[in-house]
Amino acid sequence: MSSPTSPPLSPTGFGHRHLLGIEPLKPHEITAILDLADSYVDLNRRPEKHSDALAGLTQINMFFENSTRTQASFEIAGKRLGADVMNMAMQASSIKKGETLIDTAMTLNAMHPDLLVVRHPHSGAVDLLAQKVNCAVLNAGDGRHEHPTQALLDALTIRRAKGRLHRLNIAICGDVAHSRVARSNLILLGKMENRIRLIGPPTLVPGQFAEFGAEIYDDMREGLKDVDVVMMLRLQKERMDGGFIPSEREYFHRYGLDAEKLSHAKPDAIVMHPGPMNRGVEIDGTLADDINRSVIQEQVEMGVAVRMAAMDLLAQNLRAERSATAD
Amino acid sequence: MTLLFINARLIDPEAGTDSLGALLVQDGTITEVLPAGTEPGQLFRARNIDTNSVEIIDCDGKCLAPGIVDIGVKVCEPGERHKESYKTAGLAAAAGGVTTIVTRPDTAPAIDSPETLEFVTRRAQADAPVHVLPMAALTKGRDGREMTEIGFLMDAGAVAFSDCDHVVSNTKVFSRALTYARSCGALVIAHPQEPLLSAGAAATSGKFAALRGLPAVSPMAERMGLDRDIALLEMTGAKYHADQITTARALPALERAKANGLDITAGTSIHHLTLNELDVADYRTFFKVKPPLRSEDDRLAVAEAVRTGLIDTISSMHTPQDEESKRLPFEEAAAGAVALETLLPAAMRLYHADLLDLPTLFRALALNPAKRLGLASGRLAAGAPADLVLFDPDMPFVMDRFQLKSKSQNTPYDGQRMQGRVLATYVTGAPVYRRD
């Protein structure tokens, strides 16, 4: 999936033209993003939150699927770095008129954007689009495939809470089957040498995930034993064509995270959720708000910083590539 | 007109032999298979043949085999002639050594009435240089509710009945259609698949599909579909052919059904014999076929089943798709691949990998499909029609899809190194293709 045109010797230590997934990244590239993101966390906490890293560049957010949080996060990230940001709500526009994804991409490409942030309901659609444009493409989630910035922001949250991003026991719980967040996290946390457990009913945690090196549990208490990090996933009701779980109340009873189930994890285990939460379905509302255990708000904060870092690195590569071809 | 092929490496699937010899063809029919070193002059004198009307073809040790009989070719007439016409499909077939194409009725509209069938037969006769035998739909509109006029359609020339990739999920409708087809002596070709389990699937479930986040179907769906069909065959005694068996799990059921004496045969596609699920790589839609590509273990099991004869036939499952229907995200892209011209070179991969020898390959490519349809072709024997392919099994080339004669160029082998090329194709003794 790494682009053949990626700059071979990047000045940034991040050798890719696009950020399409975690799969093509090397561990040191993940670290490079997280290190830079750390500095943007500091910037974002200052009263004056502005940098000129993306000044003069145009960022277009194309969301073929509804999103409030991710789109807002990318928009703020771009604006804080000085980019000209435009949002396109694609589900409302040309798709309805029958234009194909590639035509849409070609049309946008003709407007010379520099950064394209894309979310699409089908796996692989962002890869396809990236092949047809001249700018840097960031995958903001494609189908059930990958959601790389989410995995990176989760990694940054873990690294800041636990002081490291390796040799941790991490449980990913719930609807793994429909989750691009779970796939990207599984790949990233695996690359950084953590032990990963997947916990959920077998209809939502298919056995083939064991081949990724994860341990699979269908019992929440057993699976949570001695873990350092508990990542909850949203039950993706909109992606289900029926019959994965008998009811939400039974799901909450068996797999919803509450204080009792969490007591099986390490006493200092942190609780994460990519949002938006279904309170009372996969997570108990009180627990989600418990600032001693839940880092859900930090995740949102890290999201902006990680997206700033990723766009900064891609923009540096883009500028290096352009000055190289201009010579 | 008399043709004499000399210095030929004769591939005889019936005898299972691969040996040098010569072949005499008179008036479109094979009249004699001769040993190596036959002296033409002597032969003509002995047989009292006028040497003025004789063409001697020196095959230079290259392979001469019965022309391929390909069950399940989609020609997009009526409805989508921009994807493939009888003319282009016929030219592609000739260039691929396919001398008989058995066409699918999954056109728009479906070929489900004698009138439509007569229309396509006329088009085929006017335009295609190879034999074209049409199949008709088993149910009207291929929507699994009412059977078609099987008797009239047979009178109009339908050689088999199939709803193609639409499974007749209503078991009552399917059992009645099978019962009625049996009374007509009609062959029913079905797509063994549990349709509810495989609905929406774009890949075979496993690590690869999970990694790519593609909706996937268990390979078990094929066995479930086949199991159901076998039970219905026990009930009805119909004559049945499974279009594509692509998984190891379906093979024991097929073996039992054959051992129990049911009138069942099975085919597989060249893609499932030469590619596996990993070839999809970064969502390459030219590798999207139906059923989806399987694991390497399944591929090898299916090749072995072709070797033992458990799987009877190999088809191209030629399915033209235009660029627009493939340039889409993988899940949305149309399934299918063109394969008339790549069938033989791809089959040579199995030969060069020592999985199948040439007589075995041509048993599945020519002899068995001809037998199943009651045709006299598919053999290198006196009395058989001179439908022949002359090919070099070793000639290397790099596949360039824009050189294909099909109107659509959606081949998964684009850019790949292949070995084996067709040198000439003959249909009832007349040359329909010659490689320059």
Side-chain angles (χ1 to χ4, degrees), chain B residues 167-188:
Chain B
V167 177
V168 183
S169 55
N170 185 326
T171 313
K172 192 170 261 179
V173 171
F174 194 42
S175 75
R176 283 179 186 150
L178 286 169
T179 306
Y180 191 85
R182 190 207 57 205
S183 73
C184 303
L187 173 66
V188 174

Side-chain angles (χ1 to χ4, degrees), chain B residues 63 68 70 92-98 269-271 273-275 299 314-316 318 338-356 358 361-362 365 389-400 403-404 411-425 433 435:
Chain B
C63 295
I68 295 168
D70 191 358
V98 178
S269 94
I270 191 65
H271 300 117
L273 280 173
T274 54
L275 304 169
R299 183 184 79 87
I314 301 173
S315 297
S316 69
H318 182 81
V338 292
L340 280 168
E341 288 160 86
T342 49
L343 176 56
L344 188 132
M348 288 305 116
R349 287 188 169 181
L350 300 161
Y351 164 67
H352 291 296
D354 286 329
L355 291 172
L356 299 171
L358 292 175
L361 270 170
F362 277 87
L365 288 166
V389 53
L390 180 66
F391 66 98
D392 179 344
D394 301 312
M395 189 188 284
F397 69 104
V398 176
M399 178 70 218
D400 172 6
Q403 302 296 315
L404 292 176
T411 172
Y413 303 107
D414 185 40
Q416 294 196 22
R417 291 184 167 80
M418 306 191 90
Q419 249 184 302
R421 291 214 106 161
V422 174
L423 302 174
T425 307
Y433 173 77
R435 190 177 151 67

